[in-house]
Amino acid sequence: GGESPKAGLLLEGHRVRLQPINVEEDYKELGHHSKGEENDLLWRYMFDGPFKDDEQVKEYLVRTSTNSALISFVIVDKASSQKVGVVTFLNVSARDRKLEIGNLWISTKFQRTYINTETNYLLLKYAFEELQYRRVEWKCDSSNAKSISAAIRLGFSFEGIFKKHMIIKGKNRDTAWFAQYDEDWSQ
């Protein structure tokens, strides 16, 4: 172990491709999938959004793709070739061989499909099999039932609630912590 995920990483699955963000190529299509009333709830628990226009989407993508502490991916549905969301590796510690999967959003239209499952499978497989990491974390607002349900469905173990962990958009966030461990992955 001891290696970190590299910027520019491309992860290819059967039905999903996770590719590096290219702001100029991606912002309009990701804007289409992230704006509008039908997508407002995507942003309820997130640091960013909801976005009013493509310029705000572009600013968000610049921030996330230029932050050296993050490795962010555009989620591509291979069947339709549509760019349907974003996911990030964050809180990477090569020394401790652990990282977090987070800042995940998928267009409302593509939720409850194979997109989330395969996206997370590709990230977990990379972390455990390529990087030989020991731990992958998933954190979310403790009132975000969809994210908690997804974490459990994807095989993450609940580790507890960090009370008053963050302030997001002026509101307190109690954070639910989940993790998967290398010995779980290898079974």
Side-chain angles (χ1 to χ4, degrees):
E3 203 177 307
S4 292
K6 303 286 182 257
L9 183 64
L10 176 79
L11 300 175
E12 191 83 37
H14 296 294
R15 300 191 284 181
V16 171
R17 181 173 51 253
L18 304 180
Q19 63 191 36
I21 292 172
N22 179 320
V23 175
E24 288 303 320
E25 287 183 14
D26 299 338
Y27 81 96
K28 285 186 179 163
E29 190 170 352
L30 287 171
H32 169 74
H33 284 293
S34 64
K35 296 185 325 239
E37 276 182 47
E38 71 277 10
N39 287 308
D40 278 355
L41 284 178
L42 285 177
W43 307 104
R44 180 176 183 182
Y45 302 105
M46 305 280 281
F47 292 102
D48 294 289
F51 305 115
K52 291 177 182 49
D53 56 39
D54 285 344
E55 205 51 45
Q56 288 185 340
V57 175
K58 193 175 190 178
E59 291 166 12
Y60 151 73
L61 290 174
V62 167
R63 275 194 313 280
T64 195
S65 65
T66 58
N67 182 336
S68 63
L70 307 175
I71 304 289
S72 296
F73 302 90
V74 173
I75 302 167
V76 179
D77 172 43
K78 290 169 71 169
S80 66
S81 297
Q82 291 185 70
K83 298 167 184 172
V84 299
V86 172
V87 67
T88 300
F89 280 145
L90 63 156
N91 295 320
V92 176
S93 174
R95 185 183 72 81
D96 298 315
R97 297 193 356 246
K98 69 181 184 75
L99 56 73
E100 178 183 347
I101 295 172
N103 299 335
L104 168 63
W105 65 267
I106 296 168
S107 171
T108 304
K109 191 165 81 172
F110 285 87
Q111 290 180 4
R112 300 189 181 279
T113 70
Y114 53 84
I115 298 288
N116 188 44
T117 303
E118 188 163 341
T119 292
N120 283 286
Y121 170 78
L122 291 170
L123 296 169
L124 289 162
K125 184 178 193 302
Y126 179 76
F128 288 127
E129 295 180 13
E130 299 296 319
L131 296 177
Q132 299 287 298
Y133 276 21
R134 304 173 323 127
R135 173 184 176 85
V136 176
E137 299 170 346
W138 178 290
K139 300 172 193 154
C140 62
D141 190 301
S142 64
S143 60
N144 186 343
K146 275 187 171 181
S147 187
I148 289 170
S149 171
I152 293 165
R153 184 178 58 78
L154 293 164
F156 286 84
S157 299
F158 177 68
E159 294 187 322
I161 304 281
F162 278 43
K163 296 281 189 186
K164 298 188 177 188
H165 180 229
M166 297 177 161
I167 297 172
I168 297 184
K169 297 178 182 164
K171 294 187 175 141
N172 176 63
R173 172 172 138 168
D174 295 337
T175 299
W177 284 50
F178 296 85
Q180 275 195 45
Y181 319 103
D182 52 355
E183 63 267 20
D184 300 330
W185 183 259
S186 59
Q187 290 177 359

